[in-house]
């Protein structure tokens, strides 16, 4: 794989071909027939046809489906004198875990301010990789921000230099969840005690607004500076801009907590339940908001973040003078606070701001390449996002989707003056429809841009389902991918094909139960333990015939679609051969009846239609895989009979010679085998007056011999026709039939058995084979000289039409121009 050029369009995808033995396939098929298990396929009828006809693959979830289930830190923002510095985190190197974690050159000069922030990160994530006995915050049952619950920040702590031995010097005294009910925001405050100096420190992380509102100063690495309105506006504008870029932000703050000795009773260190603290944030009066100019432009700074409001809150706090000056709280003030909650509420204020960390949901491995290969295969990838337009475009850009004009449609309805709607100039000029209720009208009266875009924002489940139905109404075959732990059952049921994705690893592994090495905890593993998550996933995925585990690459779905396309193409050619053979044999008997000649007997027709032709058709299912099958455009699910007249002409051209040659062999053999060899024009009169019982034995054996010759000729010509039906448009020179080993063996077996069957019929009768003229054999065995050119002519003509269709389909697929597209 190292020799593959990733920029080569013709390069194979970064996957390995997994070959399963026929014994394993049969064993699994037998298990599915005999065992009762909830993991059996549901809605599996026409599964191969649906997979092979997919034109749209949509994702209705992000976390755990097409993106990693947890956030990854992307940037660290730290104070730098009167400004701030943005440090980009480097990609983790699995081969060298100790390599630098910041990509910027000269980042070491920010170590003074990075050290307290890294210490907060170490206690924030529980230092899972540094202290095995610690756990992530999500194990502490804290209702914090999503990034705080899931993201691992151990790499930041390790990069700065913290080790497990360093963290052993800190003991967590108390953990508090600080909330502001009016703002639906929170942050976590951790009170830690050093083992050497027995000093207390408050480390806080969480919502940016609450943290900024609780800080009076910031630390730039050299000194502690006052946090004025301009500095707050800088970080607040950065926070708002990060939200627009689909990033999550955590703010970090610190405060040394100096208490008099012997006040440990204020903190309940033995309690495993976090303390609950509520902050009172009075910001209902928007008229007090302050407009501050910074590098992002004018920033509307909320009233509770202004320096005046923070100082007023500080002055409103009760103060008791301490004569020693070595502590923050005198014994009298502690007596006034009285409870742990009051002390924590007072301690989380007057903090020192340390910086921000931004997080992002990174796409899963191979997702971007998967979307690129879908585009080559003519399958449109569509992402339904519940976020706003800008956030959705930011994540779509990381997926590799186009994010310029005519690329994003909002499915939510305008809800008054506060609604933002389309903000980009090219989106406004393009007059894209707004709201799901306007999509059908736009398709009918304007253009088909809603069917061409790959991104829909501000989506609700009902709007997503209706948009999928609109896709289906316009001939699209929709495959839907979604999380197995989300409420996606109704959406799965609407789609033509649904794929449930395990969003997190091992969600079916029961706690404190040791599983064997063959059970990975997935609900799709036979014998897996059923937990509440697995049961919910099983119920959610009832409409899903396919289920992907968390670590399964999406290229698996691409390979399944490729196999389905190959199988459907083989089945179509096999069915076409069987249909043409049945119609041709019926025409042979019909024309013979029109000429007043006996038709082929029933046992011969049964041999041809029940044994010979089905075996030949079955061999077409083993045609080698076509390398270019995933670079062809699929057909839409409408106008299925538009070319029926053309295909009817192909059928006549391809099978008319078979019918004619079979009748020529039949009549010439019958004329030569009859006693006295009557002329051809008298055969009709001979058999029109007499039925089988009134014929002489010589006439009966002559008739049976001629019918046997016709049967052998028909089977031989059917084999010749089947050799040209391996591929629909590729000629015999491009695809040599002997590459299909199964067809070679099957054709030889059919021809040998047919000759043996004919020999048995002729061996025990009085058939004068020696009287059959040479030209009868010449017509029979020289038939391929007529059949093969006609077959290739039809394929060449069909290939020309197919190539033209492919060019038009690719042009339509790639074009996103609408009636109001910007120039």
């Amino acid at each position: 794989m190292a020799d593959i050029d990733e920029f080569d369009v013709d390069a194979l995808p970064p996957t390995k071909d997994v070959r399963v033995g026929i014994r394993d396939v049969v064993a699994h098929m037998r298990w599915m027939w005999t065992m009762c298990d909830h993991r059996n396929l549901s809605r599996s009828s026409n599964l191969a046809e649906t997979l092979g006809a997919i034109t749209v693959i949509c994702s209705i979830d992000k976390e755990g489906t097409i993106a990693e289930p947890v956030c990854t830190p992307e940037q660290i923002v730290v104070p730098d004198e009167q400004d701030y510095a943005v440090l980009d985190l480097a990609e983790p190197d699995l081969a060298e875990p100790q390599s630098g974690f910041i990509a910027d050159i000269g980042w070491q000069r920010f170590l003074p301010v990075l050290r307290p922030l890294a210490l907060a990160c170490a206690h924030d994530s529980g230092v899972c990789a540094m202290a095995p006995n610690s756990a992530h915050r999500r194990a502490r049952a804290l209702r914090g921000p999503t990034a705080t619950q899931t993201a691992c920040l151990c790499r930041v702590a390790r990069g700065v230099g913290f080790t497990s031995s360093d963290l052993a010097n800190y003991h967590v005294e108390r953990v508090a969840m600080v909330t502001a009910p009016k703002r639906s925001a929170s942050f976590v405050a951790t009170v830690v005690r050093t083992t050497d100096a027995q000093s207390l420190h408050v480390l806080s992380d969480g919502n940016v607004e609450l943290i900024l509102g609780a800080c009076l100063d910031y630390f730039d690495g050299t000194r502690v500076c006052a946090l004025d309105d301009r500095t707050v506006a800088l970080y607040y504008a950065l926070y708002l801009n990060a939200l627009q870029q689909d990033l999550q932000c955590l703010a970090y703050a610190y405060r040394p907590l100096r208490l008099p000795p012997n006040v440990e009773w204020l903190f309940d260190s033995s309690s495993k339940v976090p303390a609950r603290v509520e902050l009172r944030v009075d910001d209902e009066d928007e008229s007090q908001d302050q407009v501050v100019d910074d590098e992002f432009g004018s920033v509307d700074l909320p009233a509770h973040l202004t320096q005046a409001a923070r100082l007023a809150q500080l002055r409103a706090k009760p103060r008791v003078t301490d004569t020693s000056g070595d502590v923050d709280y005198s014994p009298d003030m502690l007596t006034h606070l009285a409870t742990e909650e009051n002390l924590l509420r007072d301690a989380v204020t007057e903090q020192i701001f340390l910086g921000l960390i931004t997080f992002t949901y990174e796409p899963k491995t191979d997702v971007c390449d998967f979307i690129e290969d879908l585009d080559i295969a003519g399958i449109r990838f569509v992402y339904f996002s519940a976020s706003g337009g800008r956030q959705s475009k930011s994540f779509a850009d990381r997926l590799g989707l186009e994010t310029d004009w005519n690329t994003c449609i909002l499915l939510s309805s305008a809800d008054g003056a506060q609604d933002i709607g389309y903000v980009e100039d090219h989106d406004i000029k393009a007059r894209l429809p707004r709201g799901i209720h306007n999509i059908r009208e736009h398709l009918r009266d304007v253009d088909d841009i809603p069917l061409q875009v790959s991104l829909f924002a501000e989506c609700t489940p009902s709007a997503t389902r209706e948009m999928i139905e609109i896709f289906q109404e316009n001939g699209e075959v929709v495959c839907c991918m979604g999380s197995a732990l989300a409420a996606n059952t109704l959406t799965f049921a609407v789609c033509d094909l649904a794929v449930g994705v395990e969003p997190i690893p091992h969600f079916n592994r029961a706690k404190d139960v040791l599983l064997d090495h063959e059970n990975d905890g997935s609900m799709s593993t036979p014998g897996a333990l059923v937990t509440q998550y697995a049961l919910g996933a099983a119920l959610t995925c009832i409409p899903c015939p396919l289920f992907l585990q968390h670590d399964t690459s999406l290229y698996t779905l691409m390979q399944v679609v490729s196999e389905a396309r190959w199988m459907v193409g083989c089945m179509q050619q096999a069915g076409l051969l069987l249909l043409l053979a049945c119609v041709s044999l019926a025409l042979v008997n019909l024309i013979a009846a029109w000429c007043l000649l006996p038709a082929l007997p029933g046992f011969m027709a049964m041999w041809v239609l029940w044994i010979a032709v089905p075996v030949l058709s079955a061999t077409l299912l083993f045609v080698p895989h076509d390398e270019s099958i995933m670079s062809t455009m699929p057909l839409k699910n409408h106008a299925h009979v538009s070319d029926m007249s053309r295909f009817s002409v192909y059928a006549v051209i391809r099978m008319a010679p078979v019918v004619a040659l079979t009748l020529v062999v039949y009549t010439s053999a019958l004329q030569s085998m009859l006693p006295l060899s009557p002329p051809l024009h008298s055969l009709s009169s001979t058999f029109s007056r007499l039925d089988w019982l009134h014929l002489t034995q010589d006439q009966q054996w002559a008739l049976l011999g001629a019918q046997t010759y016709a049967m052998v000729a028909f089977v031989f010509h059917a084999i010749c026709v089947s050799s040209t039906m391996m591929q629909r448009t590729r000629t015999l020179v491009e695809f040599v039939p002997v590459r299909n080993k199964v067809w070679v063996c099957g054709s030889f077996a059919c021809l040998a058995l047919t000759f043996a069957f004919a020999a048995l019929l002729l061996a025990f009768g009085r058939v004068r084979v020696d009287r059959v003229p040479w030209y009868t054999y010449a017509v029979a065995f020289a038939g391929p000289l007529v059949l093969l050119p006609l077959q290739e002519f039809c394929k060449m003509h069909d290939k020309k039409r197919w190539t033209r269709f492919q060019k038009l389909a690719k042009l339509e697929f790639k074009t996103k121009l609408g009636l109001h597209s910007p120039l």
Side-chain angles (χ1 to χ4, degrees):
M1 299 300 295
D3 298 334
I4 297 179
D5 183 7
E6 62 178 351
F7 297 101
D8 185 6
V9 178
D10 299 327
L12 297 176
T15 57
K16 61 180 181 179
D17 294 331
V18 179
R19 300 188 179 276
V20 182
I22 187 65
R23 292 184 179 180
D24 296 332
V25 175
V26 174
H28 185 69
M29 183 171 58
R30 178 177 173 273
W31 177 82
M32 292 185 63
W33 284 346
T34 56
M35 301 298 291
C36 294
D37 192 89
H38 68 276
R39 285 170 287 270
N40 284 338
L41 294 178
S42 60
R43 293 184 66 189
S44 57
S45 58
N46 301 326
L47 181 58
E49 292 86 344
T50 305
L51 281 168
I54 287 175
T55 59
V56 172
I57 292 182
C58 60
S59 175
I60 58 177
D61 292 305
K62 178 172 67 173
E63 296 89 345
T65 303
I66 56 177
E68 296 293 343
V70 297
C71 291
T72 56
E74 185 177 66
Q75 293 176 333
I76 299 178
V77 182
V78 294
D80 184 15
E81 296 181 356
Q82 299 299 321
D83 204 346
Y84 60 81
V86 179
L87 306 178
D88 295 321
L89 297 182
E91 293 292 334
D93 190 352
L94 300 180
E96 298 182 7
Q98 302 301 326
S99 60
F101 77 108
I102 295 181
D104 298 270
I105 300 176
W107 64 271
Q108 290 81 0
R109 71 184 185 91
F110 297 102
L111 277 175
V113 70
L114 285 174
R115 288 193 182 98
L117 190 145
L119 179 63
C121 292
H123 286 89
D124 175 34
S125 61
V127 287
C128 61
M130 301 170 61
N133 295 328
S134 300
H136 278 275
R137 172 162 298 164
R138 59 174 178 271
R140 303 178 188 169
L142 293 182
R143 185 176 55 84
T146 303
T148 311
Q149 290 179 330
T150 59
C152 177
L153 299 173
C154 303
R155 188 163 63 96
V156 177
R158 287 195 304 267
V160 172
F162 282 98
T163 63
S164 56
S165 59
D166 296 329
L167 295 179
N169 297 325
Y170 297 89
H171 177 262
V172 177
E173 287 287 326
R174 200 68 170 102
V175 178
M177 171 62 66
V178 184
T179 60
K182 292 183 179 181
R183 304 192 62 81
S184 299
S186 64
F187 67 88
V188 177
T190 305
V191 181
V192 298
R193 179 189 297 274
T194 58
T195 58
D196 51 358
Q198 292 295 316
S199 59
L200 293 176
H201 305 272
V202 178
L203 302 174
S204 302
D205 64 275
N207 181 265
V208 176
E209 285 194 49
L210 290 185
I211 292 289
L212 287 175
C215 294
L216 294 179
D217 306 294
Y218 69 93
F219 179 56
D220 64 358
T222 58
R223 64 185 187 277
V224 176
C225 306
L227 192 64
D228 55 10
D229 289 342
R230 176 189 172 279
T231 307
V232 172
L234 282 176
Y235 293 106
Y236 187 70
L238 181 67
Y239 165 64
L240 296 180
N241 184 64
L243 294 181
Q244 294 295 329
Q245 299 300 321
D246 194 35
L247 300 176
Q248 297 193 33
C249 281
L250 286 182
Y252 288 84
Y254 160 79
R255 176 187 177 178
L257 192 61
R258 298 176 298 173
L259 296 178
N262 302 323
V263 293
E264 289 82 358
W265 56 269
L266 287 177
F267 297 114
D268 186 5
S269 302
S270 61
S271 176
K272 297 182 179 180
V273 179
R276 302 288 176 174
V277 178
E278 290 189 2
L279 290 181
R280 300 176 181 88
V281 179
D282 299 328
D283 59 341
E284 297 181 357
D285 188 5
E286 296 183 358
S287 62
Q288 301 297 323
D289 292 355
Q290 183 174 344
V291 178
V292 180
D293 296 331
D294 72 335
E295 62 179 7
F296 291 97
S298 297
V299 179
D300 191 4
L301 193 64
H304 70 281
L305 293 184
T306 61
Q307 188 175 20
R310 288 182 280 117
L311 292 176
Q313 185 179 6
L314 176 64
R315 288 191 295 269
K317 294 172 58 176
R319 292 292 179 185
V320 179
T321 305
D322 179 65
T323 57
S324 65
D326 295 331
V327 295
D328 295 326
Y329 297 91
S330 64
D332 294 339
M333 186 174 183
L334 292 177
T335 304
H336 178 77
L337 294 175
T339 63
E340 178 190 57
E341 181 181 355
N342 292 334
L343 175 59
L344 289 174
R345 182 181 296 109
D346 190 89
V348 296
T349 59
E350 304 181 50
Q351 297 193 68
I352 301 173
F353 183 74
L354 298 178
L356 306 173
I357 295 182
T358 62
F359 301 82
T360 182
Y361 283 101
E362 293 292 341
K364 281 186 175 180
T365 305
D366 298 336
V367 167
C368 298
D369 296 331
F370 168 75
I371 295 175
E372 183 179 351
D373 288 350
L374 284 181
D375 186 74
I376 297 175
I379 302 175
R380 192 178 307 281
F381 180 83
V382 177
Y383 171 49
F384 290 96
S385 172
S387 305
R390 287 184 175 177
Q391 295 92 330
S392 301
K393 283 188 176 182
S394 298
F395 181 70
D397 185 64
R398 290 195 289 271
L399 291 175
L401 300 177
E402 295 182 1
T403 56
D404 48 7
W405 48 271
N406 285 352
T407 56
C408 180
I409 291 180
L410 306 182
L411 294 186
S412 64
S413 302
D415 54 359
Q418 299 298 326
D419 184 77
I420 299 178
Y422 294 108
V423 295
E424 302 289 346
D425 291 338
H426 47 71
D427 290 336
I428 298 175
K429 293 179 180 178
R431 302 182 187 178
L432 296 176
R434 174 69 189 277
I436 187 64
H437 58 282
N438 293 321
I439 298 295
R440 287 186 174 89
E441 181 181 356
H442 186 91
L443 290 173
R444 183 180 64 252
D445 300 335
V446 185
D447 51 40
D448 62 344
I449 289 300
L451 302 178
Q452 305 292 334
V453 302
S454 296
L455 179 61
F456 293 91
E458 300 180 8
C459 301
T460 61
S462 59
T464 300
R465 290 193 293 272
E466 188 169 354
M467 190 63 217
I468 291 175
E469 293 176 353
I470 293 176
F471 275 125
Q472 294 170 333
E473 292 170 4
N474 289 271
E476 306 286 355
V477 180
V478 182
C479 171
C480 177
M481 296 189 307
S483 172
L485 296 181
N488 293 326
T489 305
L490 295 178
T491 307
F492 286 156
V494 169
C495 300
D496 298 290
L497 180 71
V499 181
V501 181
E502 179 181 293
I504 55 178
H506 307 307
F507 68 76
N508 193 42
R509 190 183 297 276
K511 185 179 181 181
D512 300 331
V513 176
L514 182 62
L515 302 177
D516 55 61
H517 66 281
E518 295 181 354
N519 191 345
D520 63 353
S522 171
M523 64 164 288
S524 57
T525 303
L529 298 175
V530 177
T531 64
Q532 57 181 348
Y533 296 108
L535 180 59
L539 295 176
T540 300
C541 296
I542 286 178
C544 301
L546 300 178
F547 186 88
L548 297 181
Q549 297 182 15
H550 168 73
D551 56 351
T552 302
S553 174
L554 290 183
Y555 267 114
T556 304
L557 183 59
M558 176 71 76
Q559 291 174 334
V560 170
V561 172
S562 176
E563 293 294 327
R565 286 190 179 185
W566 165 79
M567 182 180 295
V568 169
C570 294
M571 291 173 60
Q572 288 177 345
Q573 294 300 103
L576 181 61
L577 176 63
L578 187 61
L579 176 62
L580 293 180
C582 294
V583 174
S584 299
L585 188 61
L587 287 176
V588 169
N589 289 333
L590 182 61
I591 295 175
W594 284 347
C595 297
L596 303 179
L597 296 176
L600 297 184
F603 67 91
M604 290 187 181
M606 292 171 61
W607 173 265
V608 173
L609 299 182
W610 288 13
I611 298 178
V613 175
V615 169
L616 290 175
S617 300
T619 60
L620 298 183
L621 300 178
F622 298 89
V623 176
H625 201 282
D626 187 6
E627 296 82 2
S628 62
I629 196 169
M630 290 306 291
S631 60
T632 58
M633 302 295 297
L635 298 173
K636 295 296 184 67
N637 190 26
H638 58 69
H640 299 288
V641 295
S642 58
D643 288 340
M644 186 60 66
S645 58
R646 178 166 63 91
F647 290 115
S648 300
V649 174
Y650 290 160
V652 172
I653 296 176
R654 302 183 79 161
M655 298 308 294
V658 176
V659 175
L661 292 173
T662 303
L663 290 173
V664 170
V665 171
Y666 178 35
T667 55
S668 62
L670 180 60
Q671 185 265 341
S672 60
M673 290 182 183
L674 284 174
L676 304 177
S677 299
L680 292 175
H681 65 271
S682 62
L683 291 178
S684 299
S685 59
T686 300
F687 290 97
S688 62
R689 297 191 301 267
L690 302 174
D691 57 14
W692 176 264
L693 297 178
H694 294 87
L695 295 177
T696 64
Q697 288 188 355
D698 292 338
Q699 290 177 329
Q700 290 177 351
W701 284 111
L703 179 59
L704 182 61
Q707 291 172 336
T708 303
Y709 268 72
M711 178 191 67
V712 173
F714 187 88
V715 172
F716 176 70
H717 295 149
I719 293 175
C720 296
V721 173
S722 67
S723 67
T724 66
M725 301 187 70
M726 304 287 179
Q727 297 281 347
R728 174 180 171 180
T729 57
R730 299 179 67 177
T731 63
L732 292 176
V733 177
E734 297 173 342
F735 186 87
V736 182
V738 294
R739 290 176 55 188
N740 187 352
K741 306 300 182 183
V742 178
W743 175 83
V744 174
C745 297
S747 300
F748 179 79
C750 285
L751 195 59
L753 292 175
T754 302
F755 273 112
F757 182 57
L760 290 175
L761 292 177
L762 300 178
F764 300 100
R766 294 179 297 177
V767 179
R768 300 294 302 274
V769 180
D770 57 327
R771 298 180 60 179
V772 178
W774 63 269
Y775 55 83
T776 300
Y777 296 100
V779 170
F781 292 102
L785 299 178
V786 179
L787 285 174
L788 297 182
L790 291 177
Q791 306 296 320
E792 294 300 295
F793 169 77
C794 292
K795 291 172 66 175
M796 291 176 61
H797 189 273
D798 187 28
K799 181 179 180 179
K800 186 181 298 184
R801 298 292 296 269
W802 176 255
T803 303
R804 181 174 178 269
F805 162 75
Q806 287 293 315
K807 291 181 179 180
L808 292 176
K810 288 183 179 180
L811 181 63
E812 180 181 358
F813 182 81
K814 298 289 185 180
T815 301
K816 292 182 175 61
L817 290 177
L819 181 62
H820 303 289
S821 296
L823 298 178

